[in-house]
Amino acid sequence: MNEPILRVTELNKKFGEHHVLKGIDFSVEQGERVAIIGGSGSGKSTFLRCLNFMEMPSSGTVSLDGKEIGKPAGKNGERRYPESELCLVRERVGMVFQQFNLFPHMTVLENAMEGLLTVKGMKKEAARDLAVKELDKVGLADKHDAYPGRLSGGQQQRVAIARSLAMEPEILLFDEPTSSLDPELVGEVLVVIRKLAEEGRTMLLVTHELGFAYHFATKVIFLADGVFHEVGTPAEVLKNPKQERTRAFLNRFTEFAF
Amino acid sequence: MSYQWDFSGVWSRWDILAVGLLNTIKIAAVSIVLGIVVGLVLAFLKLSPKKYLSAPATAFIEFYRNTPPIIHFFWFYYALPVLANISLDPFVAAVLALSTQSGAFYAEVFRGGIVSIEKGQWEGGRSLGMRHSQLMRRIILPQAMTRMFAPFVERSFELTKTTALASTLAYADLLYQAMRVNSETFRPLEVYTTIALMYVVLLVTASTLSRIAEARLTAYR
Ligand SMILES: Nc1ncnc2c1ncn2[C@@H]1O[C@H](COP(=O)(O)OP(=O)(O)OP(=O)(O)O)[C@@H](O)[C@H]1O
Ligand SMILES: [Mg+2]
Protein backbone atom coordinates (compact mmCIF):
# COMPACT_ATOMS: atom_id res chain seq x y z
CA MET A 1 0.00 0.00 0.00
CA ASN A 2 1.13 3.53 -0.74
CA GLU A 3 2.28 5.69 2.14
CA PRO A 4 0.01 8.78 2.33
CA ILE A 5 1.90 11.95 1.45
CA LEU A 6 0.78 13.56 4.69
CA ARG A 7 -0.22 11.88 7.91
CA VAL A 8 -1.26 13.37 11.22
CA THR A 9 -1.32 11.20 14.33
CA GLU A 10 -2.87 12.08 17.70
CA LEU A 11 -2.42 15.78 16.97
CA ASN A 12 -3.14 18.04 19.94
CA LYS A 13 -2.80 21.78 20.13
CA LYS A 14 -3.29 23.82 23.25
CA PHE A 15 -2.95 27.55 23.69
CA GLY A 16 -2.32 27.64 27.42
CA GLU A 17 -5.39 26.00 28.94
CA HIS A 18 -7.35 26.30 25.73
CA HIS A 19 -7.41 22.85 24.10
CA VAL A 20 -8.06 23.64 20.43
CA LEU A 21 -7.21 20.40 18.60
CA LYS A 22 -8.01 17.20 20.43
CA GLY A 23 -6.16 14.19 19.16
CA ILE A 24 -6.69 14.39 15.43
CA ASP A 25 -5.78 11.41 13.22
CA PHE A 26 -5.85 12.05 9.53
CA SER A 27 -4.02 11.35 6.32
CA VAL A 28 -3.92 12.82 2.84
CA GLU A 29 -3.10 10.85 -0.28
CA GLN A 30 -1.20 12.23 -3.21
CA GLY A 31 -3.56 14.28 -5.40
CA GLU A 32 -6.30 14.57 -2.79
CA ARG A 33 -8.04 17.88 -2.28
CA VAL A 34 -9.38 18.42 1.18
CA ALA A 35 -11.81 21.18 2.13
CA ILE A 36 -12.03 22.02 5.83
CA ILE A 37 -15.16 23.73 7.09
CA GLY A 38 -16.39 24.63 10.55
CA GLY A 39 -17.51 27.48 12.74
CA SER A 40 -15.41 30.50 13.60
CA GLY A 41 -12.82 29.67 16.24
CA SER A 42 -13.25 25.93 15.77
CA GLY A 43 -9.53 25.51 15.02
CA LYS A 44 -9.47 25.25 11.21
CA SER A 45 -6.56 27.65 10.85
CA THR A 46 -4.76 26.11 13.78
CA PHE A 47 -5.03 22.67 12.20
CA LEU A 48 -3.71 23.90 8.87
CA ARG A 49 -0.93 25.87 10.53
CA CYS A 50 0.24 22.81 12.44
CA LEU A 51 0.84 21.08 9.11
CA ASN A 52 3.60 23.49 8.08
CA PHE A 53 4.56 24.35 11.65
CA MET A 54 3.40 27.92 11.69
CA GLU A 55 2.06 26.61 14.99
CA MET A 56 3.90 23.94 16.93
CA PRO A 57 1.74 20.94 17.80
CA SER A 58 1.48 20.44 21.56
CA SER A 59 1.71 16.70 21.00
CA GLY A 60 1.27 14.15 18.25
CA THR A 61 3.13 13.80 15.00
CA VAL A 62 3.01 15.08 11.46
CA SER A 63 4.62 12.86 8.81
CA LEU A 64 5.56 13.65 5.25
CA ASP A 65 5.99 10.65 2.96
CA GLY A 66 6.05 8.41 5.99
CA LYS A 67 8.77 10.35 7.78
CA GLU A 68 7.85 11.88 11.13
CA ILE A 69 8.87 15.52 11.51
CA GLY A 70 10.96 16.46 14.53
CA LYS A 71 12.45 14.33 17.27
CA PRO A 72 10.85 13.05 20.46
CA ALA A 73 11.86 15.12 23.46
CA GLY A 74 10.69 14.60 27.04
CA LYS A 75 7.52 12.85 28.01
CA ASN A 76 3.89 13.69 27.15
CA GLY A 77 4.62 13.23 23.45
CA GLU A 78 6.51 16.51 23.22
CA ARG A 79 8.77 16.93 20.25
CA ARG A 80 11.68 19.11 19.33
CA TYR A 81 11.71 20.73 15.91
CA PRO A 82 15.06 21.97 14.60
CA GLU A 83 14.76 25.07 12.42
CA SER A 84 16.59 23.44 9.52
CA GLU A 85 14.10 20.58 9.41
CA LEU A 86 11.09 22.89 9.57
CA CYS A 87 12.50 25.00 6.75
CA LEU A 88 12.70 21.91 4.56
CA VAL A 89 9.14 20.97 5.47
CA ARG A 90 7.89 24.45 4.58
CA GLU A 91 9.59 24.26 1.21
CA ARG A 92 7.56 21.14 0.53
CA VAL A 93 4.31 22.36 2.09
CA GLY A 94 3.36 25.78 0.75
CA MET A 95 0.84 28.10 2.37
CA VAL A 96 -1.45 30.83 1.12
CA PHE A 97 -2.81 33.17 3.78
CA GLN A 98 -6.05 35.03 4.19
CA GLN A 99 -4.12 38.31 4.38
CA PHE A 100 -1.75 37.44 1.49
CA ASN A 101 1.36 38.42 3.48
CA LEU A 102 3.17 39.65 0.40
CA PHE A 103 6.44 41.51 0.85
CA PRO A 104 5.50 45.15 0.24
CA HIS A 105 9.08 46.29 -0.42
CA MET A 106 9.45 43.93 -3.36
CA THR A 107 7.82 43.99 -6.77
CA VAL A 108 5.45 41.25 -7.85
CA LEU A 109 8.26 39.47 -9.69
CA GLU A 110 10.64 39.85 -6.76
CA ASN A 111 8.01 38.42 -4.43
CA ALA A 112 7.67 35.35 -6.62
CA MET A 113 11.47 35.01 -6.91
CA GLU A 114 12.30 35.53 -3.25
CA GLY A 115 11.99 31.95 -2.04
CA LEU A 116 13.90 30.64 -5.04
CA LEU A 117 16.78 33.04 -4.49
CA THR A 118 17.02 33.00 -0.71
CA VAL A 119 15.83 29.53 0.21
CA LYS A 120 16.70 27.45 -2.84
CA GLY A 121 19.79 29.49 -3.64
CA MET A 122 18.94 29.61 -7.33
CA LYS A 123 20.64 31.87 -9.85
CA LYS A 124 18.73 35.04 -10.74
CA GLU A 125 17.95 34.03 -14.33
CA ALA A 126 16.63 30.59 -13.43
CA ALA A 127 14.55 32.03 -10.57
CA ARG A 128 13.15 34.70 -12.86
CA ASP A 129 12.11 32.12 -15.46
CA LEU A 130 10.30 30.04 -12.89
CA ALA A 131 8.64 33.06 -11.26
CA VAL A 132 7.52 34.40 -14.64
CA LYS A 133 5.99 31.03 -15.47
CA GLU A 134 3.96 30.97 -12.25
CA LEU A 135 2.87 34.60 -12.64
CA ASP A 136 1.66 33.76 -16.14
CA LYS A 137 -0.32 30.91 -14.71
CA VAL A 138 -2.16 33.17 -12.24
CA GLY A 139 -2.76 35.76 -14.96
CA LEU A 140 -0.37 38.46 -13.80
CA ALA A 141 2.07 38.55 -16.70
CA ASP A 142 1.55 42.30 -17.02
CA LYS A 143 2.19 43.18 -13.36
CA HIS A 144 5.79 42.06 -12.83
CA ASP A 145 7.11 45.45 -11.82
CA ALA A 146 4.17 46.61 -9.74
CA TYR A 147 4.45 46.77 -5.96
CA PRO A 148 1.84 44.77 -4.05
CA GLY A 149 0.40 47.93 -2.48
CA ARG A 150 -0.78 49.03 -5.93
CA LEU A 151 -2.72 45.84 -6.66
CA SER A 152 -6.27 44.81 -5.91
CA GLY A 153 -6.83 42.19 -3.23
CA GLY A 154 -7.56 39.57 -5.86
CA GLN A 155 -4.35 40.34 -7.70
CA GLN A 156 -2.38 40.29 -4.46
CA GLN A 157 -3.73 36.89 -3.55
CA ARG A 158 -2.81 35.59 -6.98
CA VAL A 159 0.73 36.87 -6.50
CA ALA A 160 0.81 35.05 -3.17
CA ILE A 161 -0.28 31.86 -4.90
CA ALA A 162 2.39 32.29 -7.56
CA ARG A 163 5.00 32.96 -4.87
CA SER A 164 4.07 29.72 -3.20
CA LEU A 165 3.85 27.74 -6.45
CA ALA A 166 7.30 28.88 -7.52
CA MET A 167 8.76 26.78 -4.72
CA GLU A 168 7.16 23.73 -6.36
CA PRO A 169 5.62 22.49 -3.12
CA GLU A 170 4.21 18.99 -2.94
CA ILE A 171 1.29 20.13 -0.82
CA LEU A 172 -0.50 23.47 -0.82
CA LEU A 173 -2.37 24.86 2.18
CA PHE A 174 -4.96 27.60 1.71
CA ASP A 175 -6.35 29.36 4.77
CA GLU A 176 -9.52 31.16 3.70
CA PRO A 177 -7.82 32.61 0.63
CA THR A 178 -10.87 34.63 -0.41
CA SER A 179 -12.25 35.75 2.94
CA SER A 180 -10.63 39.17 2.93
CA LEU A 181 -11.56 39.93 -0.67
CA ASP A 182 -14.36 42.08 -1.97
CA PRO A 183 -17.07 39.80 -3.37
CA GLU A 184 -16.37 40.73 -6.98
CA LEU A 185 -12.72 39.66 -6.60
CA VAL A 186 -13.40 36.22 -5.13
CA GLY A 187 -14.01 34.62 -8.51
CA GLU A 188 -10.60 35.35 -10.04
CA VAL A 189 -8.83 33.67 -7.12
CA LEU A 190 -11.12 30.64 -7.13
CA VAL A 191 -10.49 30.23 -10.86
CA VAL A 192 -6.77 29.94 -10.15
CA ILE A 193 -7.33 27.43 -7.35
CA ARG A 194 -9.57 25.37 -9.60
CA LYS A 195 -6.84 25.34 -12.23
CA LEU A 196 -4.43 23.95 -9.65
CA ALA A 197 -6.99 21.30 -8.79
CA GLU A 198 -7.14 20.26 -12.44
CA GLU A 199 -3.37 19.79 -12.37
CA GLY A 200 -3.92 17.14 -9.74
CA ARG A 201 -2.12 18.95 -6.94
CA THR A 202 -2.46 17.90 -3.34
CA MET A 203 -4.24 20.71 -1.51
CA LEU A 204 -5.94 21.49 1.78
CA LEU A 205 -8.31 24.43 1.82
CA VAL A 206 -10.06 26.10 4.72
CA THR A 207 -13.05 27.91 3.33
CA HIS A 208 -16.49 29.31 3.93
CA GLU A 209 -17.28 29.05 0.20
CA LEU A 210 -19.27 25.86 0.50
CA GLY A 211 -20.30 25.89 -3.15
CA PHE A 212 -16.70 26.02 -4.19
CA ALA A 213 -15.74 23.35 -1.66
CA TYR A 214 -18.36 21.06 -3.14
CA HIS A 215 -16.88 21.20 -6.63
CA PHE A 216 -13.25 21.53 -5.60
CA ALA A 217 -12.76 18.90 -2.97
CA THR A 218 -12.32 15.17 -3.08
CA LYS A 219 -12.90 15.11 0.66
CA VAL A 220 -14.64 17.47 3.09
CA ILE A 221 -13.97 17.73 6.79
CA PHE A 222 -16.31 19.37 9.26
CA LEU A 223 -14.26 20.49 12.25
CA ALA A 224 -16.01 21.18 15.54
CA ASP A 225 -14.97 21.08 19.19
CA GLY A 226 -11.39 20.27 18.25
CA VAL A 227 -12.20 17.03 16.43
CA PHE A 228 -13.12 16.01 12.89
CA HIS A 229 -16.83 15.71 13.47
CA GLU A 230 -17.58 14.43 10.02
CA VAL A 231 -15.36 13.39 7.13
CA GLY A 232 -16.52 12.24 3.71
CA THR A 233 -16.99 13.10 0.06
CA PRO A 234 -18.46 16.52 -0.70
CA ALA A 235 -21.77 14.89 -1.47
CA GLU A 236 -21.79 12.99 1.82
CA VAL A 237 -20.81 15.86 4.09
CA LEU A 238 -22.38 18.81 2.32
CA LYS A 239 -25.55 17.24 0.92
CA ASN A 240 -26.38 14.39 3.25
CA PRO A 241 -24.59 15.02 6.51
CA LYS A 242 -24.98 12.21 9.02
CA GLN A 243 -24.29 14.33 12.06
CA GLU A 244 -26.87 16.66 13.50
CA ARG A 245 -24.11 19.15 14.28
CA THR A 246 -22.98 19.29 10.64
CA ARG A 247 -26.55 19.80 9.48
CA ALA A 248 -27.03 22.66 11.93
CA PHE A 249 -23.82 24.28 10.69
CA LEU A 250 -24.81 23.95 7.03
CA ASN A 251 -28.28 25.29 7.67
CA ARG A 252 -26.76 28.57 8.74
CA PHE A 253 -25.61 29.10 5.16
CA THR A 254 -29.10 29.91 4.01
CA GLU A 255 -28.18 31.12 0.54
CA PHE A 256 -26.05 28.02 0.01
CA ALA A 257 -26.92 26.23 -3.24
CA PHE A 258 -24.98 23.85 -5.48
CA MET B 1 24.04 100.13 23.35
CA SER B 2 25.34 99.66 19.88
CA TYR B 3 27.77 96.85 19.37
CA GLN B 4 30.34 97.15 16.62
CA TRP B 5 30.36 93.78 14.88
CA ASP B 6 33.81 92.88 13.62
CA PHE B 7 34.30 89.53 11.95
CA SER B 8 37.76 90.27 10.58
CA GLY B 9 39.52 88.33 13.33
CA VAL B 10 37.31 85.33 12.67
CA TRP B 11 37.71 85.51 8.89
CA SER B 12 41.47 85.63 9.11
CA ARG B 13 41.41 82.47 11.22
CA TRP B 14 38.97 80.57 9.02
CA ASP B 15 41.47 77.74 8.62
CA ILE B 16 41.37 77.03 12.37
CA LEU B 17 37.59 76.78 12.28
CA ALA B 18 37.70 74.66 9.12
CA VAL B 19 39.88 72.14 10.92
CA GLY B 20 37.35 72.16 13.74
CA LEU B 21 34.46 71.59 11.37
CA LEU B 22 36.22 68.68 9.68
CA ASN B 23 37.05 67.16 13.09
CA THR B 24 33.43 67.52 14.16
CA ILE B 25 32.27 65.78 10.99
CA LYS B 26 34.90 63.09 11.45
CA ILE B 27 34.03 62.30 15.06
CA ALA B 28 30.31 62.36 14.30
CA ALA B 29 30.68 60.04 11.32
CA VAL B 30 32.87 57.54 13.15
CA SER B 31 30.58 57.58 16.18
CA ILE B 32 27.46 57.13 14.09
CA VAL B 33 28.94 54.09 12.33
CA LEU B 34 30.14 52.52 15.57
CA GLY B 35 26.90 53.53 17.28
CA ILE B 36 24.95 51.63 14.63
CA VAL B 37 27.00 48.52 15.39
CA VAL B 38 26.50 48.91 19.14
CA GLY B 39 22.81 49.67 18.60
CA LEU B 40 22.23 46.61 16.42
CA VAL B 41 23.94 44.33 18.91
CA LEU B 42 21.94 45.80 21.80
CA ALA B 43 18.68 45.66 19.84
CA PHE B 44 19.11 41.97 18.98
CA LEU B 45 20.13 41.15 22.53
CA LYS B 46 17.12 42.96 23.88
CA LEU B 47 14.82 41.20 21.41
CA SER B 48 16.10 37.82 22.52
CA PRO B 49 13.63 35.69 24.46
CA LYS B 50 16.56 34.59 26.64
CA LYS B 51 16.61 36.67 29.81
CA TYR B 52 20.35 36.43 30.30
CA LEU B 53 20.80 38.17 26.96
CA SER B 54 18.00 40.72 27.12
CA ALA B 55 18.45 41.82 30.75
CA PRO B 56 22.05 43.10 30.42
CA ALA B 57 21.10 44.91 27.21
CA THR B 58 18.16 46.57 28.94
CA ALA B 59 20.38 47.58 31.86
CA PHE B 60 22.99 49.06 29.52
CA ILE B 61 20.38 51.01 27.58
CA GLU B 62 18.68 52.34 30.71
CA PHE B 63 22.01 53.35 32.25
CA TYR B 64 22.92 55.45 29.23
CA ARG B 65 19.51 56.96 28.80
CA ASN B 66 19.45 58.10 32.39
CA THR B 67 22.87 59.69 32.81
CA PRO B 68 24.11 63.07 31.52
CA PRO B 69 26.18 62.60 28.35
CA ILE B 70 29.18 64.51 29.66
CA ILE B 71 29.73 61.92 32.38
CA HIS B 72 30.44 59.30 29.74
CA PHE B 73 33.10 61.49 28.21
CA PHE B 74 34.78 61.98 31.59
CA TRP B 75 34.43 58.32 32.42
CA PHE B 76 36.17 57.10 29.28
CA TYR B 77 38.85 59.80 29.46
CA TYR B 78 39.64 59.96 33.18
CA ALA B 79 38.16 56.86 34.83
CA LEU B 80 38.75 54.04 32.37
CA PRO B 81 42.51 54.72 32.18
CA VAL B 82 42.72 54.31 35.98
CA LEU B 83 40.77 51.09 35.85
CA ALA B 84 42.48 49.54 32.85
CA ASN B 85 45.84 51.20 33.26
CA ILE B 86 45.84 52.62 29.76
CA SER B 87 45.55 56.16 28.55
CA LEU B 88 43.17 57.10 25.81
CA ASP B 89 43.55 59.70 23.14
CA PRO B 90 40.81 62.38 23.46
CA PHE B 91 39.45 61.31 20.09
CA VAL B 92 39.22 57.67 21.09
CA ALA B 93 37.69 58.47 24.47
CA ALA B 94 35.13 60.77 22.86
CA VAL B 95 34.25 58.23 20.18
CA LEU B 96 33.75 55.57 22.84
CA ALA B 97 31.47 57.86 24.81
CA LEU B 98 29.51 58.97 21.77
CA SER B 99 29.11 55.57 20.15
CA THR B 100 28.00 53.80 23.32
CA GLN B 101 25.56 56.60 24.09
CA SER B 102 24.13 56.71 20.62
CA GLY B 103 24.17 52.90 20.54
CA ALA B 104 21.85 52.87 23.52
CA PHE B 105 19.45 55.21 21.75
CA TYR B 106 19.81 53.57 18.35
CA ALA B 107 19.04 50.21 19.97
CA GLU B 108 15.58 51.44 20.90
CA VAL B 109 15.09 52.88 17.42
CA PHE B 110 16.11 49.59 15.76
CA ARG B 111 14.13 47.43 18.14
CA GLY B 112 11.06 49.60 17.68
CA GLY B 113 11.39 49.31 13.90
CA ILE B 114 11.74 45.54 14.01
CA VAL B 115 8.81 44.90 16.34
CA SER B 116 6.62 47.21 14.28
CA ILE B 117 6.72 44.78 11.34
CA GLU B 118 3.50 42.76 11.20
CA LYS B 119 3.44 39.10 12.19
CA GLY B 120 2.20 38.25 8.69
CA GLN B 121 5.54 39.26 7.20
CA TRP B 122 7.31 36.73 9.38
CA GLU B 123 4.78 34.10 8.42
CA GLY B 124 4.99 34.91 4.72
CA GLY B 125 8.74 34.38 4.77
CA ARG B 126 8.62 31.38 7.05
CA SER B 127 6.04 29.69 4.84
CA LEU B 128 8.57 29.77 1.99
CA GLY B 129 11.13 27.97 4.14
CA MET B 130 13.22 30.98 5.14
CA ARG B 131 15.40 30.74 8.20
CA HIS B 132 15.21 33.35 10.94
CA SER B 133 18.41 35.04 9.77
CA GLN B 134 17.27 35.11 6.13
CA LEU B 135 13.94 36.57 7.14
CA MET B 136 15.65 39.28 9.16
CA ARG B 137 17.96 40.21 6.33
CA ARG B 138 15.58 40.00 3.39
CA ILE B 139 12.14 40.78 4.78
CA ILE B 140 12.15 42.37 8.22
CA LEU B 141 15.14 44.73 8.27
CA PRO B 142 14.56 46.27 4.84
CA GLN B 143 11.03 47.21 5.88
CA ALA B 144 12.00 48.15 9.40
CA MET B 145 14.69 50.45 8.00
CA THR B 146 12.17 52.69 6.32
CA ARG B 147 10.35 53.04 9.63
CA MET B 148 13.53 53.55 11.61
CA PHE B 149 14.86 56.17 9.28
CA ALA B 150 13.30 59.33 10.69
CA PRO B 151 14.05 58.54 14.37
CA PHE B 152 17.51 57.36 13.36
CA VAL B 153 18.27 60.68 11.68
CA GLU B 154 16.88 62.50 14.69
CA ARG B 155 19.25 60.62 17.03
CA SER B 156 22.18 61.20 14.70
CA PHE B 157 21.56 64.92 14.83
CA GLU B 158 21.52 64.75 18.63
CA LEU B 159 24.81 62.91 18.47
CA THR B 160 26.35 65.46 16.14
CA LYS B 161 25.43 68.24 18.55
CA THR B 162 26.75 66.21 21.47
CA THR B 163 30.18 65.99 19.80
CA ALA B 164 30.74 69.50 21.13
CA LEU B 165 31.32 67.91 24.53
CA ALA B 166 34.52 66.38 23.11
CA SER B 167 36.01 69.86 23.42
CA THR B 168 36.09 69.33 27.19
CA LEU B 169 38.68 66.59 26.52
CA ALA B 170 40.69 69.04 24.38
CA TYR B 171 39.67 67.33 21.16
CA ALA B 172 40.00 69.91 18.37
CA ASP B 173 36.38 69.93 17.29
CA LEU B 174 34.53 73.00 16.08
CA LEU B 175 33.76 74.27 19.58
CA TYR B 176 37.31 73.72 20.82
CA GLN B 177 38.74 75.54 17.81
CA ALA B 178 36.28 78.36 18.38
CA MET B 179 37.54 78.73 21.94
CA ARG B 180 41.03 79.00 20.51
CA VAL B 181 40.02 81.70 18.06
CA ASN B 182 38.19 83.48 20.85
CA SER B 183 41.25 83.50 23.07
CA GLU B 184 43.22 85.09 20.24
CA THR B 185 40.60 87.62 19.11
CA PHE B 186 38.54 88.29 22.26
CA ARG B 187 35.50 88.44 19.98
CA PRO B 188 33.15 85.85 21.57
CA LEU B 189 30.02 87.23 19.93
CA GLU B 190 31.43 86.91 16.42
CA VAL B 191 33.18 83.61 17.10
CA TYR B 192 30.27 81.77 18.67
CA THR B 193 27.73 83.22 16.27
CA THR B 194 29.88 81.98 13.40
CA ILE B 195 30.20 78.45 14.70
CA ALA B 196 26.52 78.30 15.61
CA LEU B 197 25.77 79.10 11.99
CA MET B 198 28.29 76.49 10.89
CA TYR B 199 26.46 73.85 12.94
CA VAL B 200 23.20 74.98 11.39
CA VAL B 201 24.58 74.72 7.86
CA LEU B 202 26.06 71.31 8.62
CA LEU B 203 22.83 69.88 10.03
CA VAL B 204 20.55 71.46 7.46
CA THR B 205 22.70 69.97 4.71
CA ALA B 206 22.61 66.59 6.41
CA SER B 207 18.87 66.89 6.86
CA THR B 208 18.36 67.64 3.17
CA LEU B 209 20.48 64.66 2.17
CA SER B 210 18.61 62.43 4.57
CA ARG B 211 15.28 63.50 3.15
CA ILE B 212 16.45 62.56 -0.34
CA ALA B 213 17.62 59.19 0.98
CA GLU B 214 14.34 58.63 2.78
CA ALA B 215 12.33 59.34 -0.35
CA ARG B 216 14.34 56.67 -2.18
CA LEU B 217 13.95 54.19 0.65
CA THR B 218 10.18 54.51 0.80
CA ALA B 219 9.57 54.73 -2.94
CA TYR B 220 7.51 51.53 -2.91
CA ARG B 221 4.78 52.93 -0.70
N1 LIG C 1 -1.80 32.28 18.88
C1 LIG C 1 -2.89 31.99 19.63
N2 LIG C 1 -2.88 32.18 20.96
C2 LIG C 1 -3.96 31.87 21.72
N3 LIG C 1 -5.11 31.41 21.22
C3 LIG C 1 -5.20 31.19 19.90
C4 LIG C 1 -4.10 31.48 19.04
N4 LIG C 1 -4.46 31.19 17.78
C5 LIG C 1 -5.74 30.73 17.85
N5 LIG C 1 -6.19 30.74 19.12
C6 LIG C 1 -7.49 30.29 19.58
O1 LIG C 1 -7.71 28.99 19.11
C7 LIG C 1 -9.04 28.82 18.66
C8 LIG C 1 -9.02 28.34 17.23
O2 LIG C 1 -8.56 29.40 16.40
P1 LIG C 1 -8.47 29.26 14.83
O3 LIG C 1 -7.90 30.53 14.33
O4 LIG C 1 -7.77 28.02 14.49
O5 LIG C 1 -9.99 29.14 14.40
P2 LIG C 1 -10.63 29.13 12.97
O6 LIG C 1 -11.49 27.91 12.89
O7 LIG C 1 -9.60 29.28 11.94
O8 LIG C 1 -11.58 30.38 13.01
P3 LIG C 1 -11.95 31.46 11.87
O9 LIG C 1 -13.01 30.85 11.03
O10 LIG C 1 -12.46 32.62 12.63
O11 LIG C 1 -10.69 31.74 11.09
C9 LIG C 1 -9.72 30.14 18.87
O12 LIG C 1 -10.45 30.09 20.05
C10 LIG C 1 -8.59 31.13 18.97
O13 LIG C 1 -8.96 32.19 19.83
MG1 LIG D 1 -9.06 30.82 10.57
Side-chain angles (χ1 to χ4, degrees):
Chain A
M1 214 192 92
N2 269 351
E3 218 17 273
I5 185 167
L6 175 75
R7 183 195 287 283
V8 172
T9 318
E10 266 301 302
L11 179 71
N12 282 281
K13 178 63 186 179
K14 291 180 187 168
F15 292 108
E17 290 298 292
H18 187 15
H19 201 165
V20 178
L21 300 176
K22 301 173 182 163
I24 291 176
D25 289 296
F26 185 64
S27 60
V28 180
E29 306 289 331
Q30 175 82 42
E32 259 192 314
R33 295 185 295 281
V34 181
I36 301 163
I37 60 172
S40 181
S42 59
K44 306 180 295 296
S45 298
T46 303
F47 173 68
L48 212 61
R49 290 161 58 82
C50 282
L51 301 181
N52 69 341
F53 298 89
M54 289 286 121
E55 300 290 353
M56 296 300 156
S58 303
S59 67
T61 57
V62 177
S63 315
L64 275 181
D65 279 334
K67 190 182 169 309
E68 290 186 348
I69 315 296
K71 298 175 182 58
K75 34 193 183 328
N76 310 330
E78 282 163 36
R79 295 178 78 79
R80 215 164 45 79
Y81 298 100
E83 185 187 33
S84 54
E85 189 177 0
L86 294 189
C87 289
L88 288 173
V89 169
R90 292 172 187 144
E91 273 188 66
R92 299 174 60 188
V93 183
M95 180 170 248
V96 173
F97 302 87
Q98 185 175 341
Q99 300 298 339
F100 329 132
N101 295 345
L102 291 176
F103 309 131
H105 60 305
M106 296 182 183
T107 63
V108 164
L109 186 60
E110 286 166 348
N111 264 276
M113 288 168 65
E114 181 56 26
L116 300 175
L117 295 176
T118 305
V119 178
K120 292 207 194 272
M122 277 171 75
K123 288 253 167 15
K124 255 218 163 94
E125 295 71 35
R128 178 187 299 265
D129 289 348
L130 248 173
V132 165
K133 194 184 87 193
E134 302 304 345
L135 288 170
D136 283 353
K137 179 180 285 177
V138 300
L140 289 172
D142 56 337
K143 295 285 183 205
H144 289 179
D145 298 323
Y147 283 96
R150 308 272 148 128
L151 301 181
S152 74
Q155 290 170 330
Q156 290 189 51
Q157 191 59 297
R158 286 185 283 143
V159 176
I161 293 173
R163 177 178 74 174
S164 188
L165 286 178
M167 300 299 285
E168 303 185 310
E170 296 155 50
I171 302 173
L172 269 172
L173 310 175
F174 292 87
D175 190 0
E176 301 198 37
T178 58
S179 290
S180 60
L181 299 180
D182 293 337
E184 74 271 21
L185 301 177
V186 168
E188 64 189 63
V189 172
L190 293 183
V191 164
V192 170
I193 298 176
R194 188 174 305 139
K195 196 145 87 183
L196 300 178
E198 284 159 9
E199 293 176 2
R201 288 176 188 266
T202 311
M203 300 193 270
L204 286 87
L205 167 80
V206 171
T207 188
H208 290 292
E209 307 273 343
L210 298 187
F212 183 76
Y214 181 80
H215 294 288
F216 158 87
T218 56
K219 189 185 273 179
V220 175
I221 296 170
F222 174 59
L223 179 58
D225 290 336
V227 295
F228 286 178
H229 223 70
E230 190 157 354
V231 180
T233 64
E236 286 166 353
V237 177
L238 296 174
K239 279 195 164 165
N240 304 299
K242 293 192 189 66
Q243 306 286 334
E244 183 52 42
R245 185 83 186 264
T246 317
R247 219 168 297 143
F249 173 77
L250 293 175
N251 281 342
R252 277 190 277 134
F253 289 81
T254 44
E255 77 283 54
F256 163 51
F258 297 120
Chain B
M1 183 190 112
S2 78
Y3 180 78
Q4 287 295 311
W5 291 84
D6 178 6
F7 280 95
S8 60
V10 176
W11 289 153
S12 62
R13 290 169 183 79
W14 69 271
D15 51 331
I16 300 179
L17 294 184
V19 167
L21 180 64
L22 287 179
N23 282 338
T24 288
I25 293 173
K26 182 172 99 179
I27 199 168
V30 172
S31 304
I32 287 171
V33 171
L34 289 178
I36 291 172
V37 176
V38 173
L40 279 174
V41 171
L42 287 173
F44 282 115
L45 287 176
K46 194 168 173 187
L47 281 169
S48 167
K50 301 190 177 86
K51 254 263 145 42
Y52 64 89
L53 293 178
S54 63
T58 306
F60 184 97
I61 291 167
E62 288 310 314
F63 174 79
Y64 270 96
R65 284 158 63 99
N66 293 297
T67 41
I70 196 163
I71 291 183
H72 313 138
F73 285 80
F74 287 173
W75 195 86
F76 278 108
Y77 193 60
Y78 298 113
L80 184 63
V82 175
L83 200 64
N85 203 18
I86 44 164
S87 78
L88 293 180
D89 186 65
F91 175 75
V92 174
V95 163
L96 283 173
L98 285 165
S99 55
T100 46
Q101 263 167 33
S102 57
F105 284 98
Y106 285 152
E108 289 298 275
V109 171
F110 297 158
R111 196 186 61 87
I114 290 168
V115 301
S116 76
I117 303 299
E118 304 72 24
K119 189 162 145 273
Q121 290 295 306
W122 290 93
E123 296 195 341
R126 223 176 268 146
S127 75
L128 296 174
M130 291 174 108
R131 291 164 167 279
H132 185 87
S133 54
Q134 295 172 326
L135 251 160
M136 251 316 162
R137 184 167 50 83
R138 300 281 307 173
I139 311 299
I140 306 303
L141 285 180
Q143 293 182 65
M145 258 164 62
T146 67
R147 298 186 193 181
M148 294 167 190
F149 198 80
F152 169 78
V153 168
E154 179 89 1
R155 277 319 314 177
S156 303
F157 282 19
E158 277 311 308
L159 178 147
T160 305
K161 287 184 266 176
T162 309
T163 58
L165 292 179
S167 62
T168 59
L169 309 185
Y171 174 68
D173 77 322
L174 188 51
L175 178 58
Y176 184 82
Q177 297 293 81
M179 295 191 288
R180 257 185 68 191
V181 172
N182 184 47
S183 66
E184 293 173 14
T185 60
F186 301 106
R187 284 276 171 187
L189 189 51
E190 285 80 354
V191 173
Y192 293 116
T193 304
T194 303
I195 68 154
L197 290 175
M198 288 170 78
Y199 275 112
V200 169
V201 170
L202 174 65
L203 290 176
V204 167
T205 309
S207 152
T208 308
L209 292 176
S210 78
R211 232 169 292 129
I212 294 170
E214 186 174 21
R216 290 232 177 134
L217 212 55
T218 56
Y220 68 81
R221 280 204 223 141

